Amino acid sequence: STRDGQLLATLEGHTDCVCSLAVAPDGTLYSGSLDDTVRVWSGENGSHIRTLTGHTGGVDALTIGANGNV
């Protein structure tokens, strides 16, 4: 945690390097990878929510809009 520096979760699932990470206002995490996917994770417990596919190349940048959209 940010208080004691202890590991909260290990996010596993990408099959290549993770190049980007974004945190939505609700705490949801988004990770972009060279495996051409974006994975969505619970900010509370680190569980995998879904995988966004269809990218034609690695996802090396993510941004969260003011409305919370990726």
Side-chain angles (χ1 to χ4, degrees):
S1 75
T2 56
R3 292 183 184 173
D4 61 15
Q6 295 297 309
L7 178 68
L8 297 177
T10 299
L11 309 178
E12 296 180 350
H14 283 292
T15 59
D16 207 333
C17 298
V18 172
C19 301
S20 54
L21 183 68
V23 182
D26 67 359
T28 303
L29 304 171
Y30 296 83
S31 57
S33 170
L34 294 180
D35 66 6
D36 304 348
T37 67
V38 173
R39 287 188 173 249
V40 185
W41 311 88
S42 166
E44 288 185 23
N45 60 25
S47 64
H48 178 247
I49 297 171
R50 70 177 148 287
T51 301
L52 307 176
T53 61
H55 303 282
T56 58
V59 181
D60 57 6
L62 292 168
T63 188
I64 305 291
N67 60 2
N69 290 339
V70 178

